[in-house]
């Protein structure tokens, strides 16, 4: 499954400084906090950040078909992105889930 998200932040510097690695780590951290080791293991099997547009804040995530609900339920718990030793408060808004 593919999950299309947008990065919502009040700080305009947040969008320009994000990297795909930072988004991936933040999402994995949120899945681990919400669903524990089981959820993290299920989502980490084929989880990748396929596309990131820093100017529009659009993020495309890919995960397995049987674990996309675990991923989508943990996305609202992403509260910050850490990039270049700076933390930016933001959230991820799910726009579309497709196969």
């Amino acid at each position: 499954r593919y999950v299309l998200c947008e990065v919502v932040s009040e700080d305009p510097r947040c969008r320009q400084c994000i990297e795909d690695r930072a988004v991936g780590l933040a999402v994995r951290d949120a899945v681990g906090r919400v669903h524990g080791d089981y959820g993290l293991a299920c989502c980490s099997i084929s989880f990748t950040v396929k596309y990131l547009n820093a100017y529009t804040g659009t993020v495309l995530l890919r995960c397995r078909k049987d674990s996309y609900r675990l991923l989508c339920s943990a996305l609202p718990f992403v509260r910050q992105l850490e990039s270049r030793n700076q933390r930016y408060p933001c959230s991820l808004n799910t726009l579309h889930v497709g196969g």
Side-chain angles (χ1 to χ4, degrees), residues 5-84:
C5 302
E6 70 174 338
V7 177
V8 180
S9 175
E10 294 179 7
D11 187 9
R13 295 177 298 162
C14 177
R15 284 187 180 175
Q16 295 165 353
C17 295
I18 58 175
E19 301 169 340
D20 54 349
R21 186 170 184 255
V23 174
L25 289 174
V27 170
R28 283 188 181 104
D29 182 52
V31 171
R33 280 186 283 130
V34 174
H35 298 294
D37 291 337
Y38 173 76
L40 186 60
C42 288
C43 290
S44 293
I45 292 174
S46 67
F47 172 75
T48 57
V49 178
K50 293 300 281 184
Y51 176 75
L52 171 67
N53 189 333
Y55 294 107
T56 61
T58 305
V59 179
L60 186 65
L61 307 172
R62 187 187 76 175
C63 67
R64 293 183 67 184
K65 181 179 177 182
D66 38 334
S67 64
Y68 82 95
R69 288 191 178 119
L70 293 173
L71 178 73
C72 289
S73 65
L75 288 178
F77 294 96
V78 174
R79 295 290 175 215
Q80 64 184 3
L81 293 176
E82 186 173 344
S83 178
R84 300 181 186 130

